[in-house]
């Protein structure tokens, strides 16, 4: 049940944040391997990107990749948050009754690795679909997928089963870093808010506040890995499925530093926060509340029996 509740919570957040994911993806691909000032800027900032995509691609363009986004969130975060919940319920993350920063970081990273591997094929398709746009505002390589199923079938047909996991070398560090930062910050923040007794015991405001605090940490830690991940997933490949721009995570990271500078690793930072921040807050809040309701329901059932 922990896995199902985690997946449902993530999907609920995804419905609201997918347009921000589209904006973030476009801004991360803009000016790929080009120095600042040497390429046309289609998306000046988050708000301009929203306006441009809505005007050129239509309102439906802001929800591109929603289907794979929901599938990805259900399975990746279902596995990730579900695994963390199991670890937390076992008492592993506590030392002498207090949350251990080291143990929550490790538990979050392990849960993130498992979730990243499981969700990688759908994340690949999601990135392709979200980058597809009208040629007048196109950035990055443009795939011509007709939808999630068509994309999965086309990639499998052309590159085999391993082709579906192309880009996972970036997904694992991306999700493991993001997961460890998010979950350790959330657990520690939640304990801090409870200790300060700012809100009544059991209040939903505890989880909401902890989620807000966690969102700031995760965005700063995760954005460079997120940009690299987007580039690797979306790059064009040859007939053997080999990337034509990057050989892997380290190669992509180093090329971006050389060509785009350190700030290139934080491209779309504003969009990243507007997407990852609300998603972190919503998913962790819903996850915590659903688990709380489930535990109360289980307790009532035991009393009735």
């Amino acid at each position: 049940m922990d896995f199902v509740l985690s997946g449902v919570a993530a999907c609920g957040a995804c419905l609201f944040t997918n347009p921000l994911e589209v904006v973030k993806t476009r801004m991360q691909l803009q000016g790929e391997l080009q120095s600042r000032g040497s390429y046309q800027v289609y998306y000046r900032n988050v708000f301009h990107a929203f306006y441009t995509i809505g005007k050129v691609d239509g309102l439906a363009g802001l929800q591109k990749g929603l289907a794979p986004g929901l599938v990805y969130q259900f399975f990746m975060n279902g596995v990730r948050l579900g695994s963390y919940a199991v670890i937390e319920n076992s008492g592993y993350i506590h030392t002498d009754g207090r949350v251990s920063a080291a143990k929550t970081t490790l538990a979050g990273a392990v849960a993130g690795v498992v979730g990243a591997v499981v969700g990688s094929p759908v994340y690949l398709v999601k990135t392709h679909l979200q980058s597809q746009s009208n040629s007048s505002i196109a950035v990055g390589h443009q795939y011509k997928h007709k939808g999630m199923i068509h994309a999965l079938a086309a990639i499998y047909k052309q590159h085999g089963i391993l082709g579906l996991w192309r880009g996972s070398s970036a997904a694992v560090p991306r999700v493991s870093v993001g997961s460890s930062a998010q979950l350790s910050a959330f657990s520690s923040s939640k304990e801090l808010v409870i200790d300060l007794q700012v809100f009544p015991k059991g209040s939903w405001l505890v989880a909401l506040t902890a989620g807000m605090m966690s969102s700031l940490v995760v965005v700063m830690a995760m954005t460079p890995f997120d940009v690299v991940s987007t580039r690797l997933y979306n790059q064009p490949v040859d007939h053997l499925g080999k990337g034509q721009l990057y050989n892997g995570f380290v190669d992509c990271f180093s090329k971006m530093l050389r060509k785009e500078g350190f700030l290139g690793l934080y491209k779309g930072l504003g969009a990243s926060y507007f997407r990852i921040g609300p998603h972190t807050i919503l998913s962790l809040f819903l996850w915590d509340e659903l688990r709380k309701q489930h535990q109360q329901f289980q307790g009532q059932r035991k009393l009735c029996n």
Side-chain angles (χ1 to χ4, degrees):
M1 185 56 70
D2 275 325
F3 290 87
V4 174
L5 292 177
S6 301
V8 170
C11 286
C14 181
L15 288 171
F16 295 97
T17 60
N18 190 65
L20 294 160
E21 178 79 5
V22 174
V23 168
K24 175 183 72 71
T25 298
R26 301 280 182 89
M27 293 187 75
Q28 288 177 342
L29 291 170
Q30 184 170 246
E32 186 170 16
L33 294 183
Q34 298 177 67
S35 57
R36 299 186 75 177
S38 66
Y39 56 87
Q40 185 171 353
V41 177
Y42 297 113
Y43 312 110
R44 292 197 293 270
N45 52 53
V46 177
F47 305 105
H48 181 256
F50 261 105
Y51 171 77
T52 302
I53 295 170
K55 180 182 177 182
V56 178
D57 289 341
L59 292 178
L62 289 167
Q63 280 290 13
K64 281 191 174 182
L66 178 61
L70 289 170
V71 173
Y72 173 74
Q73 291 298 333
F74 185 81
F75 285 100
M76 190 281 283
N77 273 315
V79 170
R80 184 178 73 88
L81 295 177
S83 299
Y84 186 82
V86 170
I87 295 171
E88 183 182 40
N89 290 338
S90 70
Y92 172 78
I93 70 168
H94 293 89
T95 300
D96 297 327
R98 304 289 296 176
V99 171
S100 166
K103 288 182 178 180
T104 53
T105 300
L106 179 60
V110 170
V113 169
V114 177
V117 173
V118 170
S120 188
V122 188
Y123 192 90
L124 170 67
V125 170
K126 179 184 71 69
T127 304
H128 288 183
L129 291 175
Q130 290 177 336
S131 65
Q132 286 181 192
S133 64
N134 185 287
S135 60
S136 63
I137 57 169
V139 292
H141 184 72
Q142 295 290 292
Y143 288 89
K144 302 298 179 182
H145 302 312
K146 297 176 182 177
M148 180 177 70
I149 303 300
H150 174 265
L152 288 168
I155 295 168
Y156 175 75
K157 183 179 179 180
Q158 190 171 4
H159 304 297
I161 190 70
L162 292 179
L164 293 170
W165 267 268
R166 178 168 57 82
S168 59
S169 64
V172 170
R174 171 187 175 272
V175 180
S176 61
V177 168
S179 181
S180 61
Q182 181 193 68
L183 293 174
S184 62
F186 180 69
S187 295
S188 299
S189 299
K190 188 178 171 184
E191 186 177 66
L192 174 63
V193 173
I194 291 172
D195 287 346
L196 292 174
Q197 298 181 349
V198 179
F199 306 112
K201 185 178 180 181
S203 172
W204 56 271
L205 289 168
V206 173
L208 185 64
T209 304
M212 290 178 177
M213 295 167 73
S214 173
S215 68
L216 296 172
V217 177
V218 70
V219 169
M220 293 307 298
M222 191 177 180
T223 294
F225 298 89
D226 195 41
V227 177
V228 171
S229 180
T230 298
R231 298 285 183 87
L232 286 176
Y233 273 116
N234 196 66
Q235 71 170 325
V237 296
D238 60 21
H239 66 287
L240 296 175
K242 181 179 174 59
Q244 296 182 349
L245 296 178
Y246 315 106
N247 294 323
F249 180 86
V250 175
D251 183 54
C252 180
F253 198 92
S254 60
K255 281 182 177 177
M256 285 181 62
L257 276 177
R258 287 201 309 272
K259 297 280 187 177
E260 302 171 56
F262 177 76
L263 292 180
L265 294 170
Y266 278 91
K267 270 191 175 177
L269 178 62
S272 290
Y273 182 76
F274 278 114
R275 183 274 179 206
I276 297 173
H279 189 278
T280 293
I281 296 166
L282 283 171
S283 60
L284 291 179
F285 169 67
L286 291 172
W287 176 56
D288 194 75
E289 286 299 304
L290 287 171
R291 288 175 66 201
K292 190 190 301 179
Q293 294 300 320
H294 176 64
Q295 288 168 0
Q296 290 176 356
F297 176 72
Q298 290 291 87
Q300 291 172 355
R301 279 185 60 186
K302 287 181 181 178
L303 288 175
C304 292
N305 292 335

